[in-house]
Amino acid sequence: MVQIKFDSKVLSALEGKIQLIKTEKGAIYLVGPIKLPVNLYGETVEFQWYCWLNCDEVTEDFERIIDKLSAANLAEFQQSSVLTYGDFQNEDNAIIRMHSICHTGDIFGSKRCDCGFQLKQSMKMIVDHGNGALLYLANHEGRGIGLFSKALAYILQENGYDTVEANQALGFVDDSRNYSDAIMVLKALRCKPVTLITNNPKKLKALQESGLSVSGRESLWGDVSEYNEKYLQTKINRSGHMKDEDTCCND
Ligand SMILES: [Zn+2]
């Protein structure tokens, strides 16, 4: 393949903004930081945004990677990204959220789950804390079953199955989410311990087993309604989520 020559202005603008993270399968290319002002409950808050891409090829010659993008059809796939707030690299106490993508909850504001609420609320917790990060994990739709399968699972749920039963009835394990890439990205952004925003002990365990220094957990409950009550109860009864006093769940 003939390599396209990119304008030196393009390359110098991108220089220093792409980081290579070597993985077992190849590489993660992390691009950022990019200033991202966000409307959070009516106030404009400035986050730093990073996006990452998995690739088989491992190279420090980022021109080679950029060269592949136009043919890679990336819009057909989802990429994950991170928002950081404050001095995430250096502050002693940082809180983070590993948020699994939820097309229906995050984008449409679906009340069948509380993902949209958790997304916004965890961003607020990070800002209130003064520093932290939200990792938005694009390959985690429907706890790893994908959007189409989630639609099927919702139909089963309308026919009396709970979240766990529906996923299993479609041939999936209850929860097939993997955090290894997210953890590698997190390690590239910060070495010090983090407090994890979650009600899910599996997330806490995955992070700890990866060797990440976790200093604690903060729970995140709320937005209970008639539409997600059963879903939230399943999380507690079937998926081992921790129930805190006077509040409710998902993640
Ligand atoms: Zn959801």
Side-chain angles (χ1 to χ4, degrees):
M1 193 168 74
V2 182
Q3 195 162 325
I4 305 162
K5 262 320 243 172
F6 290 98
D7 197 306
S8 60
K9 254 177 87 181
V10 170
L11 295 174
S12 70
L14 298 175
E15 205 187 346
K17 288 283 193 179
I18 305 175
Q19 190 182 338
L20 166 68
I21 303 167
K22 287 181 187 160
T23 69
E24 278 173 15
K25 300 155 285 179
I28 290 170
Y29 296 91
L30 181 67
V31 62
I34 299 148
K35 246 187 235 176
L36 199 73
V38 168
N39 180 345
L40 191 62
Y41 297 114
E43 287 195 26
T44 304
V45 179
E46 196 173 280
F47 287 89
Q48 299 295 329
W49 180 56
Y50 300 77
C51 186
W52 78 82
L53 182 69
N54 285 85
C55 195
D56 294 336
E57 185 173 347
V58 183
T59 177
E60 295 271 7
D61 179 6
F62 300 127
E63 196 174 351
R64 286 181 59 85
I65 301 302
I66 297 163
D67 188 31
K68 289 181 177 184
L69 298 180
S70 60
N73 210 12
L74 290 183
E76 294 291 340
F77 309 95
Q78 289 270 14
Q79 284 87 57
S80 295
S81 79
V82 197
L83 290 175
T84 68
Y85 183 79
D87 188 358
F88 183 61
Q89 188 184 348
N90 298 309
E91 281 286 338
D92 282 338
N93 292 303
I95 59 170
I96 67 153
R97 166 81 180 161
M98 295 271 190
H99 189 84
S100 296
I101 189 173
C102 178
H103 189 114
T104 46
D106 299 339
I107 300 172
F108 299 141
S110 162
K111 303 285 280 181
R112 290 186 68 134
C113 57
D114 61 352
C115 301
F117 169 82
Q118 287 194 318
L119 174 63
K120 274 294 169 74
Q121 193 59 28
S122 55
M123 286 164 73
K124 189 176 182 301
M125 284 170 79
I126 289 164
V127 172
D128 288 347
H129 181 78
N131 73 88
L134 177 119
L135 292 96
Y136 192 80
L137 308 175
N139 57 351
H140 280 191
E141 183 66 67
R143 313 176 94 196
I145 73 174
L147 190 59
F148 187 83
S149 305
K150 181 167 121 176
L152 299 178
Y154 272 8
I155 293 170
L156 294 184
Q157 285 170 37
E158 284 169 359
N159 286 276
Y161 292 73
D162 70 26
T163 324
V164 175
E165 288 164 353
N167 285 11
Q168 287 171 346
L170 292 169
F172 294 100
V173 293
D174 167 39
D175 192 339
S176 55
R177 292 174 293 185
N178 179 296
Y179 296 96
S180 60
D181 287 350
I183 287 161
M184 293 201 78
V185 168
L186 187 61
K187 283 179 172 173
L189 295 172
R190 176 183 172 89
C191 305
K192 292 185 181 180
V194 290
T195 294
L196 185 68
I197 303 172
T198 187
N199 304 319
N200 183 350
K202 281 184 196 160
K203 269 187 194 174
L204 192 63
K205 204 160 162 254
L207 279 162
Q208 285 168 330
E209 283 174 355
S210 77
L212 197 75
S213 182
V214 182
S215 51
R217 180 181 74 88
E218 277 198 38
S219 53
L220 173 63
W221 306 88
D223 200 36
V224 190
S225 72
E226 58 183 300
Y227 307 105
N228 63 17
E229 213 171 358
K230 184 160 182 254
Y231 163 82
L232 297 176
Q233 207 53 50
T234 301
K235 292 259 171 176
I236 296 165
N237 297 341
R238 302 290 306 274
S239 305
H241 282 228
M242 299 175 254
K243 178 87 173 81
D244 285 2
E245 316 91 318
D246 69 353
T247 35
C248 201
C249 100
N250 157 63
D251 64 289

